Every structure is written in C-alpha cells, then in structure tokens.
C-alpha cells in the first residue's frame, strides 16, 4: 500500500512539474512577443515570473534593450559583466554602441568599442566618424575603402562619403565606378543618390536611367545622336548590359552598332558584361564576346571558365583561371578545373601538383580530385569518440544548456547564436563531444554543423547522420530510389530538422513547397490532407520521395538533373541542359543559380559518403554525376512524357525555393 501511495505521489509531482514547466514556457514566449512588439509594460509584468529560469538572461536583455537610450552606463556594463559567457553581451554592446554614436557620446563609444567581438558596417562607419574628429588624416584613407562596397551602405557611412568627396579623395572617376557597380546590380535609385555627388550638370538624367532600365532595347534603338557627355555614354552602357541579362545576343547586336562612339575602355567594359551575362545564359557566343572584353573581374572570369567548360575549350579554361586574383585562383573549384585543363593540354606533372593537396579535402572537388588520381572515396576512420563522462560534462556547459532549451522552444535563431558562441575556440575533441551532445538531444543540424568544423580528428558518422532511417528505407525501397542520394539531399535541405521552414515557405525534412505538397496529395488521392501535416516526418518523406521519383523519371533518371530540378524546378533543369553532352561535373559547375549550383554539388558529394556509410556497392562521384546531354524529345527517351506532365501541371518546384 505504501509503495502504491509513493508511486501515486511521485506521479502527482511529475504532473505538477510538467504543468509548471508549461506555464513557464508560455511566460517566456509571451515575454519574447512583448519585446518584439515593444511592449515594455507587459514585459515588466512577466519578468518576475521568470526569475531563476535558465533563460532569464534573455528577459533581462529584452528589458534593457527596449530602454537602451535611457539606461545608465553602469546598468549596461552590469548586464555585460554578468552575461559575458554568451552572445547576448556582444549583441547588447553592439546596440549600445550604435545608440551612443547616434547620441554623440563619443568618449563612452570609444571606451567600449575595443570590447566588441564583431563589428558590422554601421559600427565600422561610426568608428571612422569618431576618428575623423581627432585624426582625419588617418580616418579618411580608411574610409575610402567604403566607396567600393557593392551593397547599400548604412546611414552612418554617409557623413564619411560626404567628407571624402569634399576632401577631393574621391574623384569623378571614383563616383562613376560606384555608379556602375550600382547599375550592374540594377539599383537605379542607389545610382541616382551616388550621382548627387558629381559636379553640377554631370549626373545622368533620371528619366533616361529609368527608360534604360525598363526598356533597354528600345532605348538603345533610339541612340542615333553623338553621345557627348559621360552621363549619356554610361546610360547607354547600362542599357546594353541591362538588355544582356535577358537577351545577350540582341544586346551584342545593338552594342556592335554603337561601340565606335565609345572609348576602348568603355567598349571592353560592355563586352565583358555581355560575355559574362551571356555565359550565365549558356549562350554559345559568350567566349567570342569575352574575346572583345577588357579587364575582367573575378566573377566575370569565373563565368568565362564555365563558358569554356561547356564549349570543351581547355585552353580558355586555363587562361581564365590564370587571369584570376590569387585569392580566387586558390578556390577549390578553380584549382580542380585548372588541373583538368593542364591534364587535357598534356601538362600532367603540373596537374598532379594541384590535384594531390586538393584530394585531401572532403568536398565535391576533393572527391573529384581523388578520383582523377585513381583513388576511391571513403570516409576517414574515426580516431576519437568521447566517453560518457566527457559527454555529461559537455552537456553541463551553460551555453549549450541555454541553446538546447531554446531549441526545445523552437527558437532556432537564438539557439543557433548560443550554440555558435558556446563552441567558439573548441578543439577537435571538444567539437566532437559537443556534436555528440547535440545528437543525443536530437538536434541533428547542430551535430552535423559542429562535427563539420573539425580539422584533424573526424567522425563521419556524426557529419553524415542518418536519423529516421526506418521511415526513409520504407519509402526509398518502395519507389526504388537510391537511399544514399535521398539522404544526401535531405542533409542539404534541412539537416534533418523536421519542422524546418525556409524564407520561401518550404517546410519539413524534404523542404516541400505548398504547391508541391498539394500536387502530390492530389496524385496520391489524399482528399483530407492538410498543410499542417507537412512537417510530420512520415508525411513529409512520403511526399518528398514521391516528387523526387517523379522528377527523376522526368529527367532521364539522372540524379544530378533531378537534384537541380528539386531545388530550382524541372523546367529550369531542362533549360540548363547543354546542346552537346558534357560530363555531369561540368553541368553542375555551369548551373546559373548560385544556390542551386552549390546545392547540387553538395547533394551529390553527400551521397557518396552516405553510400559508404550504408555499405552500398562503391560508386564514384563521377559515375553518380554521369553525362548530361540535350533532352531527346520524341525519341522514346526515358521520362519525357512524365516531364511534360510535370511542366503542364506547373507545380513541383516551378517557383523555385
């Protein structure tokens, strides 16, 4: 009887604790919402309920952040001292510095600035503003580098730019260079703002810029007069490369009829832009346009390499890589393709010198380099496994505990910041131990992320986790899909976060878009299906693998094409197919969308490691990539009818993700 009563009392305690925990969760989330809506009164009411809570520092941060402009230096510094072991201190210090600069409290700003862990551009400009007051001769040359930042600058940088122009440090040529950068990105409004610093009468006409942006072909067709001013010429050049974004051949024809009115530098600049934009659209004339170009940026040279790869022109590949800056020439992709070009042109020893160190890397190009040298891909042996006491001690670290609590509440942004802060400076052994803590708590994305950061010690079972395998095996077997490839894809899509959601609206392990999920549900005859079910593991995998099988069939059964289609849409994958057959690595390298290009490489490289982990028959990455050629419509090519069905339905992935 006493034993029964003891169990009953223990049950009551557990229920009470669970209820209390749920109430605290509600209070914490309500406090966060109050902060996000600037409701300081509501936040002050909730704060006492969360005293002693593991996440109490967040409540203190929110309260202080909302009244930072009025807070005393002692109060702010008190918070920073107490919370120096987490990301909140650095975050608040950054906000405080911006507040101090905005209020002109430069002495306090300068005292706190050296303690900030990481600066953003806004604080960098404030720091330069402060130095301008005491040492303008040092600050002005440093501020000059801001002029060539390609993105929109924060307001804190404007006084510096004004000072640079007033001091004559920035010339009209510098101004025009920045205007070009803005126009290349299509930021007409930004270009007009920069043009305000030009001498009177030298700025391009706003109406002309708008016409060149909205109807570049029409604008170019009307250029029959002599172009006397630089503003006139720059606007025409803008129209030419604006047109090249959608119709490079048409832009080339217009430019060929206009270029004699321009300087050699201007002609070379526009041909470089047309060549670059033509290469991105896989135009066969891109290399010919590049041949008429002047100096090229690293980005333009990268696309010259890609155009040469599509054309099978190894001499141009070699020349373009050699023309890159030292920094870009050292990137894995260009080391690999330079080695291939050297090998193709008979310079075997030089190729081997590049391939040997590259083969020691674990990514896409490391695998290709290893295979190029005759090696076989395999995961390195695990040389360290943390013991139970190591894992327990690691799990007791305050930063990791806060992160795990935030993950439990599905506050991933805050949780990721805590986790990243907690593991900074970790040794390989500590990283692998922290990764094991994440795995045991089913925070699989952090386990992978953390294990990926090791330098000398590796555990590929952590880097390439395979959770939910019973679910995956059932669906991949039913649809005859390569399990390793599907795992490689999910690792890239969501890192195995079941309720992952992208900015574009994709959800779940396999990141299904709403229209894709509805299309699959309709095909499966699920009348009562609801979107809320999409993050359920079994449902998400069922829908994702069904769609993946459909796309694979539609694209000749080639995983490299299907991977591209899964990310960017089937019609895009079909449009990117070459006119003549190329190896799959070349197809992957020449995908125009940066996100999709990296995605396909990572998915295919992941698949080789998963195949090794699963003990599958060895298959090289080159074999997986295969050879990609043009779609053979009407000749009985596998999946051609299925592809047309996908395209006519306009559903799976057509909008991109």
């Amino acid at each position: 009887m006493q034993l029964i009563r003891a169990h009953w009392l223990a049950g009551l305690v557990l229920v009470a604790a669970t209820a209390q925990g749920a109430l605290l969760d509600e209070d914490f989330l309500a406090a966060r919402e109050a902060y996000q809506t600037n409701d300081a009164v509501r936040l002050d009411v909730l704060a006492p309920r969360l005293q002693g809570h593991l996440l109490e520092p967040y409540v203190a941060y929110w309260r202080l952040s909302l009244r930072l402009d009025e807070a005393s230096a002692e109060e702010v510094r008190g918070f920073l001292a107490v919370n120096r072991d987490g990301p909140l201190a650095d975050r608040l210090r950054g906000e405080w510095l911006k507040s101090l600069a905005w209020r002109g409290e430069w002495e306090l700003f300068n005292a706190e600035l050296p303690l900030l862990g990481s600066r953003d551009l806004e604080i960098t400009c404030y720091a330069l503003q402060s130095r301008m007051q005491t040492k303008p001769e040092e600050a002005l040359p440093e501020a000059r580098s801001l002029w060539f930042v390609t993105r929109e600058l924060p307001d804190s940088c404007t006084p510096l730019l004004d000072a640079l122009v007033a001091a004559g440090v920035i010339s009209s040529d510098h101004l025009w260079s920045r205007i070009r950068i803005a126009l290349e990105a299509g930021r007409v409004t930004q270009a007009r703002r920069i043009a305000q610093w030009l001498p009177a009468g030298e700025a391009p006409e706003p109406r002309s810029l708008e016409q060149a942006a909205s109807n570049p072909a029409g604008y170019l067709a009307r250029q029959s007069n002599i172009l006397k001013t630089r503003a006139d010429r720059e606007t025409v050049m803008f129209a030419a490369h604006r047109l090249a974004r959608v119709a490079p051949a048409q832009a080339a024809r217009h430019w060929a009829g206009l270029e004699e009115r321009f300087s050699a530098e201007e002609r070379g600049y526009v041909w470089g832009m047309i060549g670059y934009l033509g290469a991105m659209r896989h135009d066969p004339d891109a290399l010919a346009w590049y041949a008429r170009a002047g100096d090229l940026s690293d980005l333009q040279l990268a696309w010259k390499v890609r155009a040469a790869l599509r054309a099978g022109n190894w001499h141009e590949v070699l020349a373009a890589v050699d023309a890159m800056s030292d920094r870009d020439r050292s990137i894995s992709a260009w080391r690999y393709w330079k080695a291939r070009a050297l090998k193709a042109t008979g310079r075997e020893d030089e190729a081997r010198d590049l391939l040997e160190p590259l083969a020691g890397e674990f990514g896409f190009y490391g695998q290709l380099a290893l295979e190029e040298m005759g090696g076989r891909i395999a995961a390195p042996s695990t040389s360290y496994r943390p013991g139970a006491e190591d894992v327990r001690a690691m799990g007791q670290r305050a930063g990791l505990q806060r992160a795990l609590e935030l993950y439990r509440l599905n506050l991933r942004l805050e949780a990721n910041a805590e986790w990243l802060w907690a593991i900074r400076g970790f040794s390989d052994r500590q990283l692998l131990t922290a990764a094991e803590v994440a795995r045991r708590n089913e925070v699989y994305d952090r386990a992978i992320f953390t294990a990926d950061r090791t330098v000398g010690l590796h555990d590929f079972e952590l880097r390439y986790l395979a959770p939910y395998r019973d679910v995956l095996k059932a669906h991949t077997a039913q649809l005859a899909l390569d399990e390793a490839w599907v795992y490689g894809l999910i690792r890239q899509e969501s890192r195995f976060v079941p309720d992952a959601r992208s900015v574009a609206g994709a959800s779940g392990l396999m990141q299904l878009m709403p229209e894709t999920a509805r299309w699959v549900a309709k095909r499966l005859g699920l009348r009562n299906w609801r979107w809320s079910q999409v993050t359920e593991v079994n449902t998400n995998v069922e829908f994702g693998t069904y769609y993946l099988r459909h796309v694979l069939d539609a694209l000749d059964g080639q995983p490299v094409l299907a991977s591209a289609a899964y990310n960017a849409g089937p019609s895009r994958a079909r449009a990117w197919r070459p006119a003549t057959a190329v190896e799959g690595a070349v197809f992957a390298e020449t995908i125009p969308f940066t996100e999709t290009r990296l995605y396909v490489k990572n998915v295919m490289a992941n698949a080789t490691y998963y195949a090794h982990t699963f003990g599958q028959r060895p298959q090289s990455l080159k074999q997986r990539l295969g050879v990609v050629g043009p779609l053979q419509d009407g000749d009985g090519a596998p999946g051609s009818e299925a592809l047309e069905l996908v395209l006519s339905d306009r559903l799976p992935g057509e909008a991109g993700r």
Side-chain angles (χ1 to χ4, degrees), residues 97-109 126 133:
L97 285 167
K98 292 174 185 179
S99 174
L100 292 171
W102 182 74
R103 288 179 280 155
E105 296 187 30
W106 294 112
E107 185 176 351
L108 191 51
F109 175 91
Y126 276 134
Q133 299 175 28

Side-chain angles (χ1 to χ4, degrees), residues 326-405:
D326 291 342
R327 185 197 64 180
D328 276 44
R329 197 162 52 242
S330 67
I331 292 172
S332 297
W334 310 134
R335 284 189 286 147
Y336 173 73
W337 290 117
K338 179 177 180 177
R340 289 287 306 278
L342 289 168
K343 194 172 181 180
T345 53
R347 297 159 67 178
E348 296 274 353
D349 291 342
E350 293 174 76
R352 190 178 305 107
D353 290 341
L354 284 174
L355 290 171
E356 281 182 353
L358 185 56
E361 299 178 9
F362 298 127
F364 182 78
Y365 295 103
Q367 292 185 22
L368 289 175
L370 180 63
E371 291 179 359
E372 196 69 32
M373 297 182 64
R376 294 177 63 176
I377 297 168
S381 58
T382 301
S383 51
Y384 173 73
R385 288 271 170 81
E389 179 57 29
D390 295 321
V391 175
R392 188 202 64 77
M394 181 63 69
Q396 293 300 309
R397 289 182 178 242
L400 295 187
Q401 286 190 333
R402 286 194 298 269
L404 292 172
E405 181 69 2

